[in-house]
Amino acid sequence: MKLGFFVNNVAAELAGYTTTRLAQTATNRGDEVWYFGAPDFIYGSDGVIYAQGTAVPKNKYRTPELYLRNLQGPNAVKKRIIVDELDVLMLRSDPSTETGNRVWAQTAGITFGRVAKRRGVIVVNDPDNLLKAMN
């Protein structure tokens, strides 16, 4: 399975986050797991949504700390992927923390999640319902 996790900032993820544990478990099961932040998405002139993904090297990870060190360290895998090719996109960001110069990022996950959903990607949490929850 090919999974994507949309987070506020890959470099700011912590080992205790549920997202880290979900990604570690999926990786250990053999799934392909990619992380993205708001600036990583590109709506191409060809109509395709791309994302600059970050992943860990294929391996089994005993702890979330080890998983995160590999995700955020020099051994991390960087690759431009086509979002439509994901089986599942998980929206795991917290828009309320996007303030100041990053206020534009508050709705990035919802925007790209909605497009991915329309193209057949399973999106969790549903972006249409997240949009309704925005104040």
Side-chain angles (χ1 to χ4, degrees), residues 23 58 93 105 107-108 112 128:
K58 290 281 183 198
S93 68
T107 58
F112 285 105
D128 295 320

Side-chain angles (χ1 to χ4, degrees), residues 16-124:
Y17 285 179
T18 301
T19 302
T20 305
R21 293 175 184 273
L22 289 168
Q24 175 197 354
T25 300
T27 299
N28 286 348
R29 286 183 11 172
D31 295 326
E32 185 177 337
V33 176
W34 294 97
Y35 272 77
F36 318 104
D40 297 327
F41 282 89
I42 305 153
Y43 202 163
S45 59
D46 56 0
V48 175
I49 302 172
Y50 299 95
Q52 183 62 36
T54 303
V56 296
K58 290 281 183 198
N59 205 345
K60 298 277 185 182
Y61 295 91
R62 289 178 293 125
T63 67
E65 291 80 12
L66 181 59
Y67 184 87
L68 206 55
R69 271 198 304 275
N70 279 272
L71 182 71
Q72 296 169 335
N75 294 329
V77 177
K78 305 280 188 175
K79 181 180 171 186
R80 185 175 175 173
I81 67 153
I82 297 173
V83 175
D84 293 5
E85 294 176 354
L86 293 172
D87 294 302
V88 178
L89 173 61
M90 296 186 136
L91 303 180
R92 302 288 300 167
S93 68
D94 180 358
S96 69
T97 64
E98 300 292 8
T99 60
N101 292 338
R102 285 186 51 99
V103 72
W104 60 269
Q106 288 181 344
T107 58
I110 293 170
T111 301
F112 285 105
R114 292 178 83 198
V115 174
K117 181 181 170 184
R118 280 196 304 270
R119 294 171 180 231
V121 177
I122 296 169
V123 181
V124 180

